[in-house]
Amino acid sequence: MKRCYWLVSIFFVLAGKLLIAQNPVGNKQVSIIPAPMETKLGTGIFQILPSTIIQLNGKEAELAAAATFFNSQLKRIAGYSLSTGTAGTNFIEFSLKELPALNKEGYQLSVQPNRISITATTKAGLLYGMQSVFQCLPAIRTNAPLQVPVLEITDQPRFGYRGIMIDVSRHFFAPEAMKDIIDLLASYKMNVFHWHLTDDPGWRIQIDKYPALTDMAAWRVDRSGIPWNERKAAQPGEKASYGGYYTKDQVREIVAYAAERNITVIPEIEMPGHSVAAVSAYPQLSCTGQEQALITGGQYPSGIQTNYCPGNDSVYIFLQDVLDEVIALFPSPLIHIGGDEVDKTAWKACAKCQARMKKEGLKDEHELQSYFIKRMERYLNSKGRQIIGWDEILEGGLAPGATVMSWRGEAGGIEAAKMKHPVIMTPGSPLYFDHYQAGPAGEPIAFGGFNPLKKVYAYDPVPVELKGTEFAQYVLGAQANLWTESIETREHLEYMLLPRMLALAEVVWSQTDKRNWTDFRQRLETHFTGLAQKGLRFSEGNFTVGIKPVISNGQLKVALDTEAPDATIHYTLDGSYPTTASPVYTTPVAITGNATLKAITVKNGKPKGNEPAVQHFVKHRATGMNVQYKFPNSNSYMADGPNALTDGIRGTEQVGKYWHGFSGTDMIATIDLQKAQTVKQVVLGCMQHYKDWIFFPSSVQVELSLDGKQFRKVGTYSNKTSPENTVSMQEDFSIAFAPTQTRYIRVTAKVLPACPKGHPGEGKPAWLFVDELLVK
């Protein structure tokens, strides 16, 4: 089916909406994103004219640079720029002076009928004040009057780190696309562009001393158009034709372009894992020295070397040489060294690695990884830089000055903060923007998951465990990650980024008491118009109705919600297709027996979205009962909370939405029925999703107890499906037994020891997904 998400931008243009954040005289609303700390609206407007003068008050060089940026943006929408001089009757003044009540990125914006005044302590603050002005102007070239409403704004960011990561290794994007991303970041007061330049599928930066990195490691056999995890490995004789890299001149240009907009570009050079590209170009850097081709997608041929060899001194020389050239291009104080998902199997069999461990007194391969990271940190420190890495750099001991980027949930970030290390929060849920934001029916392909706009907006970078403690200060901010396994085009890249980036911008900039979902969603409507006028692709929103069970006094009810403003929800309970004539949702709906609920969002009298939300409900003895896990489920797969296993909702085909996930550990769940009851059957719903490393359990065992202490085994169900079966499926593991009085039920689902032979993750931990646990 052809993708049609690009039609959204055309729709908004044809809809005839007015210009972004246009505010006529007397209008008491502005649509600035992120929401400022304080906004006071007056009456009247300031009009920018060709004769308007720019006046500079303060440090001449910084102010001149700020004025140049302002004029470059003004010329884009007005066709002219302003002269600098002494204020007249219509002027814009930029002032640099100390503002003790605000942080270094804060600003004050005053708009009066005869002037606009932006005051800040730093150039960064001036630029942010300008962005607030630009959001009150048309988004594109226009002959209409350029009017800014009279207002007073005092503003500053909540967090100092506000970032987006773009992966250009899995799929390559032209330099102009990177500049467009940087423009978007600047427009919404983001200040970090994390550039993921190297990984297994490709090396994307010119290194003069090692030309094979771009002659060979930047190119792979083309499997475009095929889902990432279904791409076959390169075959003998196939030509490597897909790829690309950024020349040093292009990198310098992009870094300078970002700096003009107060954006720091942090380069990422992956080590010691995710290094297939580098060791393919220079095989001597791996543990075996074997020659190999780049991977073409998610399938890793058996025996492929994915890591550098920590026992080989030439590896450190190579990486130091690479980093020398990287440092010369990037002024960022932080250099990202990756450090994630290191498969240490090759190290265990490597004589050089084992000799290194013995020499350095390292007890295991985790400490060997820590040795590697610390050694590279010392080198970067000697060059005046600090390292930042994914949370796996905690393994074996954290390098002394490292910043930790917490992606596997928040646990790594919490641990690092308690060690008084800087932390950037970037958990997969909700900040992986390669996950679906709507649908998934009718949406462009994504890499699983479900992170809709409202979920992103609700995120708080400071975890509950750190709030009110001395460790909260070590959370510097948050970042969204856009991995590109499923993203081959610039249009798709934009679509996955927008509008979720705007939600994150408000999360990391605006003060907590200024964030309001309903207000944000209304302001977003005007920004949709501007994005469309610029020709950018974006999601109009998630119109899929949210379905959430509510247990009250033993009664199962269902709460419904939609992200769409000014919309209604219509539903049915008998499985029929809902229409505008179906019942309108007002309060939680009671579920009195087995039911199939379908619901749609209706706005302006028309159904929105592609398909109705569908959920099957099953009433059983354990519905609404508490679940205790011996081993916690993954923070990345929490479904609707701790009791998703007994909420009456059956897991769907969508990975992650209603499922509890366990990686490399068994699920051992105990349910308290609150009183002794007669039970004769227990059913556990399970999923197998080969491409996502999810497999049926090898077996499911049921035990019963009256006192919660002494348990008796009553049955086991052994899996009959091969883990090598690539068909996505769900199955009920059902254990029937003689009717038995019990209060406590313990269910053990045995996870597959590892991904099977021939699987892209062969030998690595397998996932176990469960939902629902039915008791009859």
Side-chain angles (χ1 to χ4, degrees), residues 140-169:
I140 58 174
R141 182 73 174 268
T142 178
N143 294 321
L146 301 184
Q147 298 178 344
V148 182
V150 169
L151 53 73
E152 302 283 337
I153 289 178
T154 300
D155 201 9
Q156 66 179 2
R158 180 184 175 200
F159 293 99
Y161 187 109
R162 307 179 297 280
I164 292 287
M165 186 281 294
I166 303 293
D167 164 25
V168 295
S169 174

Side-chain angles (χ1 to χ4, degrees), residues 449-450 636-639 654-660 687 694 769:
F450 191 65
S636 297
Y637 297 102
M638 299 295 291
Q654 185 174 333
V655 173
K657 190 171 184 181
Y658 296 112
W659 298 86
H660 275 181
M687 168 186 279
I694 302 167
F769 270 44

